[in-house]
C-alpha cells in the first residue's frame, strides 16, 4: 500500500529453487538494488547465490531460531551449521534483533568473533503516548478488568503468547497456585467479601491449551484463571494487568515483554534470551535465575504486597521502553546501518528477501 515499496513475488518452491535464484539475481540487476537484505535461514543461501557477483551490499538478519526448524538429525544440523558458516562469510553485514540470537549465531557457526549488529525491536504504543498518566488508558484498564469480573482492589497476573511448550506456561500456573496458598490473596471465586482477590489471565491460543486448562483444574485454581484465546488486540489486557509474567524456556527478544514495558507494567521473567538486558538486571522487573515454582511464587508475593514497588518497577520499565525500544529509535538505527553501506548522497534502493 506504500507507493515507495514494490512487492515482487518469486513464487519460490520448497527447497532449493534455481529458478527463483535466477529471478532474484535478475531483479537485483534490473532494479539496481543497492542493499539486499535477507531474513533467516530460509533466504540466506538463495540471496548469497543470487548476489554472487556482489552487485549489492548484502545484509543478513537472523531472528529467533537459528538454522531454521530444529532437526532430530545431528548430521543434518552439523551440515547446516557448516553451510551457514560459509554463507555468512559472503555477506557484508550480519544483524539480529537480539543479543542472545547474535551469540547463538556465533555459537552454532563456530565464528566466535563474528561481528553482529544488533538492532532491537521497536514499537509504538497504539493507545497512548504515555500510558502512565493517560486517562484514556486508565479507562481501557477499568473496562477490561470489569469484563474479567475484577474489582479495583483485585490483583491480575497475566501472560500473553502462544500456548506452546516453549512458553512454559505450566510454570506460570504452578507459581500462581502456590502464590494463592500464601494467603496474601484469595481465589477469584471467593464469596466472603475478601479485601482483595487474585486472578490470572492467559491471552493466546495454541497446542498446549487443553493441557494447561487441565493443569489449572488439577491445581484447584481453574475458577481463578481466564483463558481468553487469541486476540488481534491484546493491549487492553496489558492495561488490565497488575503484574506481567514471561516464563519461557527460550527467547530471543521477547515481544510480549516489550509490550508490557510499553504499558508500564512490572515484569517477572525467566532469565532467558535478552530478558535480563531488557529489564536492566532487575531495575525494571524481576528475573528468575532459577526458574522454579517457589522462586516465582516468592516474587509474586513480594510484588503483590507493595503497590509502590509495582509502580516503581512499571514506571522504570516504561522509561526503558521510551528511551531504548521505541519505533523511532529502531528506525534511526536502521537508517544508520543502511547509510553506512552506501553513498548517502545518492538515492538508495533496498531489496528485502523474505520467505512466507
Amino acid at each position: 500500500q506504500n507507493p515507495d515499496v514494490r512487492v515482487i513475488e518469486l513464487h519460490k518452491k520448497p527447497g532449493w529453487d534455481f529458478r527463483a535464484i535466477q529471478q532474484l539475481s535478475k531483479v537485483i540487476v534490473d532494479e539496481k538494488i543497492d542493499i539486499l537484505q535477507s531474513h533467516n535461514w530460509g533466504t540466506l543461501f538463495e540471496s548469497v547465490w543470487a548476489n554472487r557477483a556482489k552487485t549489492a551490499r548484502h545484509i543478513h538478519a537472523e531472528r529467533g531460531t537459528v538454522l531454521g526448524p530444529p532437526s532430530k538429525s545431528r548430521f543434518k544440523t552439523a551440515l547446516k551449521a557448516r553451510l551457514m558458516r560459509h554463507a555468512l562469510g559472503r555477506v557484508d553485514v550480519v544483524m539480529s534483533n537480539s543479543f542472545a540470537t547474535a551469540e547463538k549465531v556465533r555459537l552454532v557457526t563456530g565464528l566466535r568473533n563474528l561481528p553482529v549488529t544488533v538492532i532491537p525491536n521497536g514499537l509504538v504504543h497504539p493507545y497512548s503516548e504515555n500510558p502512565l498518566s493517560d486517562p484514556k488508558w486508565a479507562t481501557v484498564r477499568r473496562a477490561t478488568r470489569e469484563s474479567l469480573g475484577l474489582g479495583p482492589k483485585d490483583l491480575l497476573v497475566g501472560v500473553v503468547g502462544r500456548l506452546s511448550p516453549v512458553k512454559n506456561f505450566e510454570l506460570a500456573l504452578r507459581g500462581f497456585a502456590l502464590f494463592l496458598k500464601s494467603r496474601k490473596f484469595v481465589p477469584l471465586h471467593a464469596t466472603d467479601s475478601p479485601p482483595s482477590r487474585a486472578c490470572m489471565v492467559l491471552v493466546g491460543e495454541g497446542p498446549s491449551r487443553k493441557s494447561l486448562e487441565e493443569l489449572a483444574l488439577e491445581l484447584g485454581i481453574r475458577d481463578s484463571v481466564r483463558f481468553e484465546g487469541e486476540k488481534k488486540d491484546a493491549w487492553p489486557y496489558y492495561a488490565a494487568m497488575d503484574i506481567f509474567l514471561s516464563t519461557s524456556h527460550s527467547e530471543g527478544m521477547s515481544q510480549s515483554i516489550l509490550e508490557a514495558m510499553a504499558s508500564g507494567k512490572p515484569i517477572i521473567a525467566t532469565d532467558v534470551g535478552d530478558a535480563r538486558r531488557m529489564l536492566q538486571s532487575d531495575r525494571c522487573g524481576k528475573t528468575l535465575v532459577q526458574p522454579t515454582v517457589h522462586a516465582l511464587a516468592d516474587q509474586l508475593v513480594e510484588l503483590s504486597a507493595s503497590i509502590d514497588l509495582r509502580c516503581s518497577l512499571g514506571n522504570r520499565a516504561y522509561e526503558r521502553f521510551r528511551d531504548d525500544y521505541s519505533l523511532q529509535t529502531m528506525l534511526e538505527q536502521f537508517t544508520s546501518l543502511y547509510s553506512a553501506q552506501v553513498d548517502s548522497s545518492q538515492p538508495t534502493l533496498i531489496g528485502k528477501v523474505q520467505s512466507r
Side-chain angles (χ1 to χ4, degrees):
Q1 296 180 355
N2 188 326
D4 293 327
V5 177
R6 286 185 59 201
V7 177
I8 302 175
E9 295 194 53
L10 302 180
H11 302 287
K12 178 183 176 296
K13 297 177 182 178
W16 192 258
D17 187 343
F18 285 99
R19 183 191 60 82
I21 293 172
Q22 291 174 342
Q23 284 184 304
L24 178 56
S25 182
K26 188 174 185 300
V27 168
I28 293 172
V29 174
D30 291 351
E31 300 293 332
K32 296 181 174 59
I33 300 294
D34 296 296
I35 298 174
L36 178 69
Q37 182 164 339
S38 53
H39 291 264
N40 293 337
W41 173 263
T43 62
L44 173 59
F45 290 98
E46 287 85 350
S47 300
V48 166
W49 189 248
N51 191 46
R52 60 191 179 277
K54 304 294 287 184
T55 305
R57 299 286 290 177
H58 187 177
I59 299 173
H60 178 67
E62 280 290 331
R63 302 166 62 93
T65 59
V66 178
L67 299 181
S71 172
K72 295 181 180 179
S73 168
R74 290 185 178 181
F75 172 77
K76 187 175 181 180
T77 300
L79 177 61
K80 289 168 71 175
R82 290 191 65 179
L83 290 171
M84 173 175 269
R85 177 188 179 107
H86 172 74
L88 292 184
R90 298 182 61 84
V91 306
D92 298 292
V93 176
V94 181
M95 67 163 293
S96 179
N97 67 328
S98 158
F99 288 90
T101 301
E103 187 57 28
K104 187 174 181 180
V105 169
R106 297 187 186 102
L107 181 65
V108 301
T109 61
L111 299 170
R112 298 303 303 167
N113 297 318
L114 177 70
V116 181
T117 299
V118 177
I119 300 180
N121 291 344
L123 58 80
V124 172
H125 195 294
Y127 281 80
S128 174
E129 291 185 1
N130 185 355
L132 300 180
S133 59
D134 190 340
K136 293 181 179 179
W137 185 239
T139 299
V140 173
R141 171 181 168 83
R142 185 166 54 251
T144 307
R145 289 173 67 86
E146 288 176 356
S147 73
L148 294 169
L150 294 172
K153 292 185 178 181
D154 296 333
L155 184 85
L156 180 60
V157 178
V159 302
V160 177
R162 188 166 187 265
L163 305 188
S164 62
V166 72
K167 296 300 183 182
N168 194 23
F169 289 142
E170 293 85 356
L171 173 61
L173 288 174
R174 292 184 185 278
F176 180 68
L178 186 59
F179 160 71
L180 287 179
K181 291 180 180 179
S182 71
R183 301 185 183 279
K184 299 292 183 182
F185 283 79
V186 298
L188 184 67
H189 57 77
T191 58
D192 55 350
S193 300
S196 52
R197 304 172 301 171
C199 176
M200 172 175 280
V201 61
L202 292 89
V203 182
E205 194 57 79
S208 297
R209 175 162 181 165
K210 183 178 179 181
S211 63
L212 291 171
E213 290 178 331
E214 291 173 348
L215 177 60
L217 188 64
E218 176 189 324
L219 294 170
I221 60 172
R222 184 64 185 87
D223 290 342
S224 296
V225 178
R226 299 285 187 262
F227 289 86
E228 291 293 293
E230 183 177 359
K231 300 294 181 181
K232 290 184 178 180
D233 181 8
W235 289 97
Y237 291 93
Y238 287 110
M241 293 176 196
D242 298 295
I243 301 171
F244 177 81
L245 302 184
S246 175
T247 53
S248 294
H249 287 302
S250 176
E251 287 281 0
M253 179 184 179
S254 169
Q255 187 69 14
S256 61
I257 288 181
L258 180 58
E259 291 169 355
M261 292 172 68
S263 300
K265 299 301 169 179
I267 298 160
I268 302 174
T270 46
D271 191 8
V272 298
D274 283 5
R276 180 174 290 276
R277 181 184 293 269
M278 295 173 74
L279 299 181
Q280 293 184 313
S281 299
D282 293 357
R283 184 176 179 274
C284 307
K286 301 290 184 177
T287 47
L288 299 175
V289 178
Q290 297 296 328
T292 66
V293 172
H294 283 86
L296 175 56
D298 288 346
Q299 294 289 3
L300 285 171
V301 169
E302 181 183 358
L303 265 64
S304 67
S306 173
I307 294 178
D308 288 342
L309 176 59
R310 296 201 302 271
C311 288
S312 176
L313 292 173
N315 289 348
R316 290 200 292 263
Y318 173 74
E319 290 165 0
R320 169 76 161 147
F321 156 75
R322 181 196 62 200
D323 295 342
D324 298 309
Y325 297 114
S326 69
L327 179 62
Q328 184 61 35
T329 298
M330 183 187 75
L331 293 177
E332 288 172 356
Q333 290 177 312
F334 268 107
T335 298
S336 178
L337 172 65
Y338 291 150
S339 297
Q341 301 304 310
V342 295
D343 181 358
S344 59
S345 66
Q346 300 295 323
T348 302
L349 188 59
I350 300 171
K352 291 193 175 184
V353 184
Q354 295 180 245
S355 58
R356 287 189 171 183

